Amino acid sequence: MNDNPERSSILKRVGRGDWQALKNAGLETRSDHEFMLEAIGLQKWALRYAGPALKADWKFMLSAAVSNRLALEYAGNNLLGNGEFMFAAFVQDWFSLEHASIDLKNNPAFMLDCVRRNFLAMQHASEELKCDPEFVLDAIKAEGGLVLMFVADNLREDRNVCIEAIKHNWRAALEWSSPCFRSDKDIMLLAMKYSHGSALEMYTSEGLKGDLDIVHAAERSAMLETVRGDGNAICKASRIFKEDPEI
């Protein structure tokens, strides 16, 4: 901006926090890509005064979002409803998804792509998607059980959802699913398999901790994992495990 004394003066004032200097600048100045990025670099609030054309400009708004995660508050609706733009912004900063249009937040394909990238995207999915069993199951398969943090309460109580989550992230599944599943013998038997027995002490209800089937499943799963790491470990195993064909 050194070749333009007027703009250089405005930038100096912006740097000192003088918002009126930018507000009163001409539209041509506030629509200059390079000038406005420099102003934003000095003060994040400067984006508020960018010209409408810049707020609707893909390249400019992505650049602005790099230094200011709230930049998309000022983005044009044409960008906030554009799946490609919003995914690019999301890749830069998952928080950007907060500003996506309602239609995008309710778009299963778009939201699933985001969830694959970062499970936190589930936080910004529409309430309709958070209540949709099919979408939630797809999200679990794509990312794992952590998405259960953000789904509707009735789906945390859904047995099929819990089972699928255990297969992908047993710890998150048992942490975020309904506590009632910790007393469900079949659910906990599955958890023993995928947790290599760790779920016994961490998540099993007191009523099931003494169940012989549960205890055996935990010990068997732990032994399988141990033998996978060290085949000689089978030598110290009990007879019941030595005679187990899978072990």
Side-chain angles (χ1 to χ4, degrees), residues 65-163:
V66 170
S67 59
N68 182 3
R69 68 178 343 194
L70 298 179
L72 296 191
E73 287 184 6
Y74 305 104
N77 290 333
N78 66 308
L79 296 181
L80 300 181
N82 183 300
E84 290 185 45
F85 172 82
M86 285 308 305
F87 188 77
F90 171 73
V91 169
Q92 287 186 172
D93 182 359
W94 70 271
F95 184 80
S96 297
L97 206 56
E98 167 72 19
H99 305 291
S101 69
I102 294 174
D103 285 345
L104 280 182
K105 291 180 179 181
N106 198 39
N107 184 312
F110 172 77
M111 289 305 304
L112 199 56
D113 283 342
C114 292
V115 169
R116 285 194 184 97
R117 184 87 184 189
N118 187 331
F119 81 93
L120 291 171
M122 195 71 176
Q123 181 177 355
H124 300 297
S126 68
E127 292 305 312
E128 183 176 342
L129 288 184
K130 291 177 182 178
C131 294
D132 184 332
E134 183 178 353
F135 175 77
V136 169
L137 285 171
D138 286 341
I140 289 171
K141 293 173 185 175
E143 190 285 329
L146 286 171
V147 297
L148 289 179
M149 280 192 272
F150 306 111
V151 306
D153 289 342
N154 66 303
L155 290 184
R156 294 186 191 184
E157 298 170 358
D158 186 296
R159 205 164 186 276
N160 292 330
V161 169
C162 182
I163 288 172

Side-chain angles (χ1 to χ4, degrees), residues 140 158-171 173-174 177 181-200 203-204 208 211 213-218 220-222 224:
I140 289 171
D158 186 296
R159 205 164 186 276
N160 292 330
V161 169
C162 182
I163 288 172
E164 192 62 41
I166 285 174
K167 293 176 182 178
H168 292 83
N169 186 331
W170 66 269
R171 193 186 303 271
L174 294 175
S177 292
F181 292 125
R182 301 180 188 185
S183 298
D184 185 311
K185 184 170 179 177
D186 290 336
I187 290 286
M188 294 312 297
L189 283 172
L190 183 68
M192 295 311 135
K193 175 182 177 181
Y194 284 92
S195 70
H196 310 304
S198 297
L200 179 63
Y203 292 102
T204 309
L208 281 182
D211 184 284
D213 292 332
I214 292 288
V215 173
H216 174 72
R220 183 178 184 275
S221 184
L224 271 169

